[in-house]
Amino acid sequence: MRKILVTNALPYANGPIHMGHLLGYIQADIWVRAMRAMGHDVTYVCADDAHGTAIMLRAEANGISPEAQIANVQKEHIRDFDGFGVHFDHYDSTHSDANKARASEIYIKNREAGNIAVRPVTQLFDPEKGMFLSDRFIKGTCPKCKAEDQYGDSCEVCGTTYNATELLNPRSTLSGATPVEKSSDHYFFKLPNFSEYLQKWTRDQGRLPLSIANKLDEWFESGLSDWDISRDAPYFGFEIPDAPNKYFYVWVDAPIGYMSSFENYIKTKRPDLSFDDFWKKDSDKEVYHFIGKDIVYFHALFWPAMLEGANYRTPSGLFVNGFLTVNGQKMSKSRGTFIKAETYLQHLNPEYLRYYFASKLSDKVEDSDLNLDDFVQKVNSDLVGKVVNIASRCAKFINSNFNNTLSSTCDEPELVQSFIDAGDSIAQAYEAREFSAAIREIMALADKANQYIDEKKPWALAKQEGQEQQVHDVCSVGINLFRQLAIYLAPVLPTLATQVQSFLQLESFDFASRQQILVAHKIAQFQPLMQRVDPKAVAAMVDASKDSLAAAAETPKVEKKKEKKAEKKPEPKVGEAEIIGIEDFMKVDLRVAEVLEASTVEGSDKLLQLTLNVGEAEPRNVFSGIREFYQPEDLKGKLVVMVANLAPRKMRFGISNGMVLAAGNGEGVWVISPESGAKAGDKVS
């Protein structure tokens, strides 16, 4: 049994949890549940990131203390995580005595090791607020293009980066006052001291995703710089030891919160665990951080360097997720796709989202898209139409005809055993965080189970005399197959798993429990387990998320002097192609795709349904109008070229996510194939 500590990136304590946040938390929770189901001892902790100027100013605006501000937000965060089944063993705050003590200790150890420097820094100072201004609180005129209303670090118009002191006509966004330059001593962590160590650390096998390690090479090539770890008063945070009115920058004590949260958990709930066993230099325990790709450099450079400098162990691995888009676009308040966790929970079952995210996630650092039409179709088809349907079809016969008791023998031992054996590869996929692969394998088993029931037709057998035992055997096998599926889905759907465990009256529901086939086993009365997603509820959620005030803010501003009357584009003549510019053509993303599956589409004489591997975490479903010229067996295993960046199209047969390229000459149509040596996911130029 392995002993593992898992943490999530700490949510900032000045706002609500939204769909983008949940992607990473649900990913971590699924992994924790899966590892526990395999018999490992996993501790899962998190905390609110509670410090910084932003929280101090938010509390001031709300007329409360920063302590009251973070306490209020923490209650909301815990409520939302609980609502989505993200169950931490302990949820803490970085504003704790344990974190203050641990941050001070790590700082002092690094100071004694020669890793801290002090030197003056000139910054802009707001004379009315009496505080130094970070870049986000300064606006002015770009020193290069003269665009107005630009922030203190870069120009959104021309892209130039600069120091805030270079802005023309600067002003404080907090008071409107003209800031003045002022010098102050700042404390720096000497990150270059760890350059050689970090280059090796980031390349240790399995420590980081390869794409992240490659990206970090850019930092090493340009040379690491000292890291400013101090902020001047007023600031909500921990005061630096022996430095009055100087405070730790929020990113110093935030990751240390992983350690202090674990420490507080041990003190309050798990005295059998030892802090040193997990965090001492030569620890053989495992520590993993689930984080978003936007905070990689803090976790892959500053954090391990601080730990190494203080003689602590470093993380066993960083598991990094990408960003979330909704309907292929950045989340938007005006479109109603900036969806808060609280809003989702008011309209939809949280397990729908857990399943949809799992079907998208892999160990690669890729962005995920929550396509709401695909979301409805996938949940209804997979969970309701395939999995839950097995139990509802079989349980009614066991409940009504056989005294709630399964058959005394297993009529299909080889079939059931194949489901049991599949658990090994599914467990491996979970451990590797290849959740989409696990889901594909589970759904393939669900198809197999439904095929068995469709072939045996217990509802028809029940109408024939002398077939009672056959009905009993078939439905008992169906319940056994359903039980296996529910065990495999338990890390993703913990609430459903609890309901199924109760229905099947089983003491254990971990991965090992699947080995025992249920015979002569008593079950409870079947109750509906999951309802279909109602598209109206999705629409209501989107409508409830819309912010009319945001619509104006998201509408691009057009200067009067740049307005130009649009010329009407002539309609192309019949038989004449519309001419597009090279700029439009360059936007088309052509990819090599491998045809994993091909099938005819019931109800259509023109369409083939293709399952395509485009080198992504999840295969693409594409409908292609080439049935007149190709049979499914002609395409399976072939490489084709597809347009990969088309918006998903809703058809009456399902969602089509892309387009396969084909060419015709009036006599026939040929699917375009890539050059030899190409592989799935390659770009085609």
Side-chain angles (χ1 to χ4, degrees), residues 241-305:
D242 309 315
N245 293 320
K246 304 290 181 180
Y247 290 81
F248 286 126
Y249 172 46
V250 60
W251 268 107
V252 174
D253 62 78
I256 296 172
Y258 300 142
M259 303 172 81
S260 61
S261 296
F262 180 61
E263 192 172 12
N264 282 335
Y265 171 62
I266 291 172
K267 290 178 181 177
T268 57
K269 301 172 185 174
R270 284 290 300 272
D272 59 303
L273 294 178
S274 164
F275 178 87
D276 288 339
D277 280 353
F278 279 82
W279 288 102
K280 65 184 178 181
K281 187 76 171 178
D282 59 347
S283 172
D284 61 349
K285 308 299 186 291
E286 299 170 59
V287 177
Y288 299 104
H289 302 317
F290 281 79
I291 61 172
K293 67 180 182 181
D294 55 325
I295 54 175
V296 162
Y297 54 95
F298 287 110
H299 286 79
L301 295 177
F302 305 142
W303 177 228

Side-chain angles (χ1 to χ4, degrees), residues 299-434:
H299 286 79
L301 295 177
F302 305 142
W303 177 228
M306 282 198 303
L307 290 170
E308 174 67 12
N311 201 36
Y312 279 113
R313 64 88 48 81
T314 55
S316 310
L318 303 180
F319 299 153
V320 185
N321 64 270
F323 297 136
L324 179 73
T325 57
V326 180
N327 292 337
Q329 295 179 301
K330 185 178 179 181
M331 293 189 297
S332 161
K333 292 182 179 179
S334 64
R335 291 190 295 268
T337 55
F338 190 94
I339 303 167
K340 294 189 294 186
E342 179 185 18
T343 306
Y344 179 101
L345 291 169
Q346 291 169 353
H347 294 87
L348 294 167
N349 182 339
E351 302 229 310
Y352 297 159
L353 190 71
R354 289 180 64 101
Y355 178 76
Y356 191 77
F357 279 169
S359 74
K360 296 277 187 178
L361 287 165
S362 73
D363 68 337
K364 298 179 178 62
V365 188
E366 297 176 332
D367 294 346
S368 299
D369 183 54
L370 170 57
N371 181 283
L372 295 175
D373 287 336
D374 184 46
F375 167 77
V376 173
Q377 188 272 337
K378 184 182 289 289
V379 172
N380 288 345
S381 173
D382 290 2
L383 296 185
V384 181
K386 293 182 181 180
V387 177
V388 172
N389 189 45
I390 298 169
S392 63
R393 295 168 88 184
C394 297
K396 62 181 179 181
F397 292 105
I398 302 295
N399 289 147
S400 60
N401 299 352
F402 304 106
N403 193 30
N404 301 324
T405 305
L406 301 182
S407 178
S408 58
T409 59
C410 178
D411 193 51
E412 295 282 352
E414 291 184 1
L415 175 62
V416 176
Q417 188 62 45
S418 72
F419 275 54
I420 293 172
D421 293 342
D424 293 337
S425 60
I426 291 171
Q428 290 171 7
Y430 272 126
E431 180 169 357
R433 302 178 325 285
E434 290 283 1

Side-chain angles (χ1 to χ4, degrees), residues 26-40 42 44 81-82 84-88 351 354 430 487 489-495 497-498 509-511:
I26 287 175
Q27 181 186 32
D29 184 82
I30 290 172
W31 194 78
V32 166
R33 291 177 184 274
M35 296 301 285
R36 285 174 175 164
M38 297 175 209
H40 304 301
V42 185
Y44 185 27
F81 287 135
D82 284 347
F84 278 91
V86 178
H87 287 168
F88 302 105
E351 302 229 310
R354 289 180 64 101
Y430 272 126
I487 285 175
L489 285 169
V492 179
L493 307 172
T495 300
T498 298
F509 218 62
D510 60 19
F511 272 40

